[in-house]
Amino acid sequence: MQPIPIKVKNVTIYQYFNPLEPLTEVILTDGTGTYSLGTLGLNAFYNLTLDNEGKVTNPLNVHVKYYATFETESGHISTTPWMYCLDNSDNPEFGRTIHMVAADTNDIGVNVANESGFITLGALTNITVSQFFPPPAIGQRTLITNGTGNIIATKLGTPHEMGVQVDTGDWFGTILAGSKNIMISGKTKNGDTFSQTGYTVITGGKPAIFLKEFFQ
C-alpha cells in the first residue's frame, strides 16, 4: 500500500518511555502537519511531518523516540506508535519502519500483527480465501476453505487497516506474504454473508492474516 498523507492538527508530541513506567513528558503542542502510513510486504512505514512545531515546552532531539496524538480534518483522534525524531528544526519530522510479524520485547503493543495490535470486530465461520489474477493472467486460486477466525482492525495508525485473521481451516499450497488481490468470504455470528476484496497477505501460515486500508 502506497503511503497516503493526511492532514492533521492539534498535534501533541510526547517523549516515549517504557509503557510499564508511569512517565509522561510533553515536548510540543498545537502542531499541524501530515501523517502517513504505508505497507510493503511485511513492513509498515510511519511518518509524521509538522508544518510548524507549535508550542515547544521541552527540547526535541534527533534519534530519540517520541509518539504523537493528533486530530484529522474529519475530527478523528488518533495516537501513533513511537517514532524516531528525524529532524528537530522548525519543521520537525518523525519516522519509523515496523516489521509486522516481529515481536519486539522492548515495544509493548506497537507491532501491527502482534495480538495486542488488533481490535477484534467479530467472529467469522465458513471462511473462503481466494486470490484473483488480473489480466492478462485471468483466473483465481483458492487459498483457504472451511476457515474460522475473526474480522480484525489495527489499533494504531491512520489510515487504519482492517482485515481477517483465519485461525483454522484447509490450506491449499503456500500462501506468500505480500500477495495481493485477495477475496475473503464467510458468515458472521449473526448468519450474515461477509464478502470483501482488496486484501493483502500479511502472514500466510496459521493463523493467516489479511489486511487492507480503511478510514474510520
Side-chain angles (χ1 to χ4, degrees):
M1 181 188 76
Q2 292 293 325
I4 303 176
I6 61 169
K7 293 182 179 180
V8 295
K9 59 184 179 180
N10 298 327
V11 179
T12 299
I13 302 294
Y14 302 85
Q15 185 165 348
Y16 175 84
F17 296 99
N18 187 315
L20 299 180
E21 300 176 6
L23 300 174
T24 300
E25 181 176 311
V26 176
I27 304 301
L28 64 86
T29 59
D30 298 329
T32 60
T34 57
Y35 180 67
S36 59
L37 164 64
T39 57
L40 178 63
L42 297 179
N43 296 310
F45 306 92
Y46 297 87
N47 182 267
L48 173 65
T49 302
L50 300 185
D51 300 329
N52 66 79
E53 58 184 2
K55 301 175 183 177
V56 178
T57 56
N58 283 293
L60 183 64
N61 299 303
V62 174
H63 302 312
V64 174
K65 297 177 182 179
Y66 299 92
Y67 71 97
T69 60
F70 58 76
E71 182 181 353
T72 66
E73 290 186 316
S74 62
H76 175 68
I77 297 174
S78 186
T79 301
T80 72
W82 69 258
M83 296 178 286
Y84 289 108
C85 176
L86 306 177
D87 184 342
N88 63 348
S89 67
D90 292 341
N91 302 105
E93 182 177 359
F94 306 84
R96 184 180 174 200
T97 300
I98 295 176
H99 191 61
M100 291 190 282
V101 296
D104 185 342
T105 57
N106 295 319
D107 299 318
I108 298 175
V110 297
N111 292 301
V112 179
N114 186 293
E115 182 179 357
S116 62
F118 285 138
I119 302 168
T120 298
L121 302 180
L124 277 182
T125 58
N126 298 325
I127 298 172
T128 298
V129 180
S130 303
Q131 182 179 19
F132 286 83
F133 301 101
I138 299 174
Q140 72 178 77
R141 179 170 74 101
T142 299
L143 304 177
I144 300 173
T145 60
N146 302 316
T148 62
N150 291 287
I151 304 170
I152 57 175
T154 54
K155 293 179 181 178
L156 302 175
T158 302
H160 288 262
E161 299 218 343
M162 72 164 291
V164 173
Q165 177 174 313
V166 184
D167 298 314
T168 65
D170 300 319
W171 268 243
F172 296 90
T174 301
I175 303 176
L176 298 177
S179 299
K180 299 183 181 297
N181 301 317
I182 304 298
M183 176 179 178
I184 301 176
S185 62
K187 292 287 186 181
T188 68
K189 64 180 181 180
N190 296 325
D192 297 326
T193 298
F194 174 94
S195 181
Q196 291 190 354
T197 60
Y199 289 95
T200 297
V201 179
I202 303 303
T203 61
K206 294 184 180 181
I209 297 173
F210 308 87
L211 293 177
K212 72 174 181 178
E213 176 187 318
F214 82 111
F215 290 87
Q216 290 186 329

